[in-house]
Amino acid sequence: MTTKNLRDGKETCPAQGLLKLLSGKWKPEIFRLAVEAPLRFSSLLRQIHGSNKQTLSVALRELEDVGLLEKVVIKQKPLHIEYNLTEKGKSLIPVLKQLEGLS
């Protein structure tokens, strides 16, 4: 039965889907920082010790692909990009706050 659920791609626990969305190198930290303020790539490189450009860009892209972050081009000089939580991302904040309270 468990093997069948895994093959179907369905989680047996509702929280499992959320944890999958945020699993991966730097994703939980990126999400936590996005809750506090809009993110800029260069700022993330400074804030997340041990990160590098490649792993951060992959994590940001994956968070965009699942609809938790949106990439916004700010057309002011100098041109820059910010990452903001989407409505879907904002809806996960209370859940994550509860998980933080468990530790």
Side-chain angles (χ1 to χ4, degrees), residues 58-74:
V58 167
L60 286 166
R61 191 173 326 109
E62 289 175 357
L63 288 169
E64 274 185 89
D65 290 345
V66 296
L68 298 181
L69 288 181
E70 66 178 339
K71 184 177 182 177
V72 179
V73 178
I74 309 295

Side-chain angles (χ1 to χ4, degrees), residues 28-87:
E29 185 68 11
I30 291 169
F31 188 86
R32 185 187 65 78
L33 291 169
V35 168
E36 296 171 6
L39 304 173
R40 291 181 68 175
F41 191 81
S42 57
S43 175
L44 282 174
L45 277 174
R46 286 190 301 273
Q47 287 180 292
I48 302 177
H49 301 289
S51 66
N52 62 50
K53 290 179 181 181
Q54 182 179 356
T55 55
L56 277 182
S57 57
V58 167
L60 286 166
R61 191 173 326 109
E62 289 175 357
L63 288 169
E64 274 185 89
D65 290 345
V66 296
L68 298 181
L69 288 181
E70 66 178 339
K71 184 177 182 177
V72 179
V73 178
I74 309 295
K75 296 181 180 181
Q76 297 174 349
K77 290 191 179 186
L79 182 75
H80 62 277
I81 295 172
E82 288 184 350
Y83 294 89
N84 299 303
L85 283 178
T86 61
E87 289 305 313

Side-chain angles (χ1 to χ4, degrees), residues 85-98:
L85 283 178
T86 61
E87 289 305 313
K88 180 179 178 181
K90 289 175 185 174
S91 72
L92 298 178
I93 293 171
V95 177
L96 292 171
K97 294 280 185 197
Q98 284 185 322

